[in-house]
């Protein structure tokens, strides 16, 4: 089986989610999105890489924050998914159901992307005033928590202030997700530095399970984070990265973001797949071998 014939109970840009009784089965597909567009081409091994990197971090930070992971072993999945085990191997995760907190918890440790754009305009990132003299890829004095609202597919997330975050989810939850986001980011950045990686920024999602704020969705993957090689880091220039920036750069150079989403050339697909697998190997310290029997 190369896919599941059953219709997902919900579908994100790159994930399909199935109701599995007490739990959910989250399937990381090989779809890729950029600039809020889902592209027509898939990236080989991408879903498995993202899923297994998330599982690595969930395990690593289990003492900092509870998470929703039950198992990534297809043998533990409900019987109704048994015929799809080969397809699901590595790319699927059985998780606890959570009451989702409707905030994207973004942490920025370096100045780049949309943050650099607003900083150049008025010296702020998401309304937070920063010192003068920063440039592309400058390390920020302290990591910033810059929440945004979670948009529907096709819409753009909207950056919001911490005060607005408090209004949406309440001060207690807002404070918990801010503090946890910063704590996880700092611990991850410290670990990644020992592996030769800079985590420039990332985003987390949280839910409530059994009354506790719990880390859900994905965690510190190349889709939710910018990973830069520390060896070539140089302030003042765009950094090479292990994420989908390769795809974003090609789209910027070859598409005006109107009309039909273009197909990616083979070298961009292959290069992106290679970057994802390299990120897995550097972060986990393990050689990437697909869990799928027929890989």
């Amino acid at each position: 089986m190369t896919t599941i014939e059953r219709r997902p109970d919900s579908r994100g840009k790159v994930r399909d989610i199935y109701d599995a009784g007490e739990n959910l089965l989250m399937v990381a597909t090989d779809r890729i999105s950029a600039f809020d567009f889902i592209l027509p081409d898939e990236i080989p091994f991408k879903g498995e890489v993202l899923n297994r990197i998330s599982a690595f971090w969930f395990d690593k930070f289990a003492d900092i924050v509870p998470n929703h992971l039950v198992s990534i072993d297809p043998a533990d999945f409900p019987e109704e998914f048994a015929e799809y085990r080969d397809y699901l191997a590595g790319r699927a995760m059985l998780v606890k159901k959570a009451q989702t907190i409707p905030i994207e918890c973004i942490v920025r440790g370096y100045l780049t992307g949309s943050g650099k754009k607003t900083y150049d305009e008025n010296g702020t990132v998401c309304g937070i005033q920063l010192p003068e003299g920063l440039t592309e890829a400058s390390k920020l004095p302290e990591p910033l928590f810059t929440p945004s609202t979670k948009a529907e597919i096709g819409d753009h997330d909207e950056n919001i202030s911490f005060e607005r975050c408090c209004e949406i989810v309440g001060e207690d939850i807002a404070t918990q997700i801010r503090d946890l986001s910063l704590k996880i980011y700092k611990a991850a950045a410290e670990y990644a530095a020992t592996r030769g990686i800079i985590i420039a920024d990332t985003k987390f999602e949280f839910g409530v399970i059994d009354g506790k704020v719990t880390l859900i969705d994905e965690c510190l993957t190349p889709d939710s984070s910018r990973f830069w090689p520390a060896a070539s880091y140089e302030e003042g220039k765009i950094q090479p990265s292990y994420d989908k920036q390769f795809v974003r750069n090609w789209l910027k150079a070859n598409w005006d973001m109107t009309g039909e989403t273009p197909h990616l050339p083979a070298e961009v697909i292959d290069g992106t797949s290679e970057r994802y697998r390299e990120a897995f190997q550097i972060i986990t310290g393990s050689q990437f071998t697909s869990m799928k029997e027929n890989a």
Side-chain angles (χ1 to χ4, degrees), residues 56-70:
F56 169 83
W57 291 115
F58 283 146
D59 180 61
K60 188 165 190 63
F61 297 136
D63 60 337
I64 293 179
V65 59
N67 63 71
H68 67 166
L69 176 61
V70 176

Side-chain angles (χ1 to χ4, degrees), residues 1 36 39-42 100 104 123 133 141 176 186 211-212 222-223 226 237 246 258 280 286:
M1 287 283 179
D36 293 322
L39 306 185
D41 303 287
E42 294 192 337
T100 305
E104 297 267 10
Q176 284 191 64
K186 287 173 183 174
K212 287 185 179 177
D223 259 24
R226 282 187 177 92
K237 66 171 192 177
F246 192 47
T258 62
F280 174 89
S286 304

Side-chain angles (χ1 to χ4, degrees), residues 102-104 106 147-151 156-160 164 168:
I103 298 289
E104 297 267 10
I106 298 161
S148 73
T149 55
K150 279 173 61 65
H156 293 279
D157 297 341
E158 180 192 350
N159 292 329
I160 57 173
R164 177 68 185 131
I168 295 170

Side-chain angles (χ1 to χ4, degrees), residues 8-295:
D9 293 287
S10 69
R11 171 167 275 179
K13 289 174 190 160
V14 298
R15 277 180 186 70
D16 294 337
I17 300 173
Y18 300 86
D19 195 306
E22 287 183 7
N23 301 308
L24 297 173
L25 190 70
M26 282 178 42
V27 181
T29 71
D30 290 336
R31 296 193 297 267
I32 189 165
S33 72
F35 304 115
D36 293 322
F37 295 96
I38 299 169
L39 306 185
D41 303 287
E42 294 192 337
I43 305 297
F45 302 109
K46 174 179 173 284
E48 183 173 356
V49 164
L50 296 188
N51 194 55
R52 289 172 62 187
I53 286 177
S54 286
F56 169 83
W57 291 115
F58 283 146
D59 180 61
K60 188 165 190 63
F61 297 136
D63 60 337
I64 293 179
V65 59
N67 63 71
H68 67 166
L69 176 61
V70 176
S71 178
I72 66 164
D73 184 347
D76 296 332
F77 299 168
E79 192 57 36
E80 65 197 279
F81 298 101
E83 64 182 298
Y84 307 113
R85 278 179 185 162
D86 187 46
Y87 169 70
L88 295 172
R91 72 167 67 247
M93 168 179 295
L94 193 67
V95 301
K96 298 172 191 166
K97 289 181 176 176
Q99 181 186 344
T100 305
I101 297 168
I103 298 289
E104 297 267 10
C105 296
I106 298 161
V107 181
R108 303 169 190 264
Y110 289 75
L111 187 64
T112 191
S114 62
K116 169 73 164 55
K117 189 177 175 188
T118 58
Y119 176 80
D120 288 346
E121 289 167 0
N122 56 31
T124 70
V125 171
C126 300
I128 300 166
Q129 192 70 44
L130 291 175
E132 292 180 11
L134 300 182
T135 184
E136 173 65 41
S138 289
K139 186 174 184 177
L140 300 175
E142 281 293 322
L144 301 180
F145 176 70
T146 58
S148 73
T149 55
K150 279 173 61 65
E152 295 296 316
I153 291 179
D155 293 333
H156 293 279
D157 297 341
E158 180 192 350
N159 292 329
I160 57 173
S161 65
F162 179 67
E163 288 71 28
R164 177 68 185 131
C165 180
C166 290
E167 289 172 8
I168 295 170
V169 299
E171 189 174 351
D172 177 49
I173 293 288
T175 301
Q176 284 191 64
I177 60 177
R178 177 195 64 192
D179 293 353
L180 284 169
S181 296
L182 290 167
K183 192 171 183 180
I184 301 164
Y185 172 79
K186 287 173 183 174
E190 200 173 286
Y191 166 78
T194 70
R195 307 289 309 159
I197 294 246
I198 291 169
I199 303 177
D201 52 33
T202 192
K203 74 176 174 66
F204 302 111
E205 294 194 33
F206 294 92
V208 177
I209 299 175
D210 298 330
K212 287 185 179 177
V213 172
T214 302
L215 186 60
I216 64 169
D217 197 59
E218 64 182 317
C219 182
L220 292 153
T221 71
D223 259 24
S224 65
S225 320
R226 282 187 177 92
F227 295 136
W228 297 339
S232 60
Y233 171 72
E234 189 183 329
E235 191 176 4
K237 66 171 192 177
I238 301 284
Q239 310 298 308
S241 60
Y242 294 106
D243 53 39
K244 57 185 175 185
Q245 196 59 42
F246 192 47
V247 171
R248 290 191 195 105
N249 292 346
W250 186 87
L251 287 171
K252 273 187 189 172
N254 294 278
W255 186 44
D256 63 0
M257 309 293 163
T258 62
E260 203 167 309
T261 315
H263 283 277
L264 300 172
E267 62 268 23
V268 174
I269 292 171
D270 293 344
T272 304
S273 179
E274 191 178 322
R275 279 167 171 76
Y276 277 100
R277 282 175 281 160
E278 192 176 348
F280 174 89
Q281 290 169 183
I282 292 172
I283 289 163
T284 67
S286 304
Q287 192 69 22
F288 177 80
T289 306
S290 177
M291 289 171 64
K292 187 175 176 179
E293 291 173 15
N294 301 324

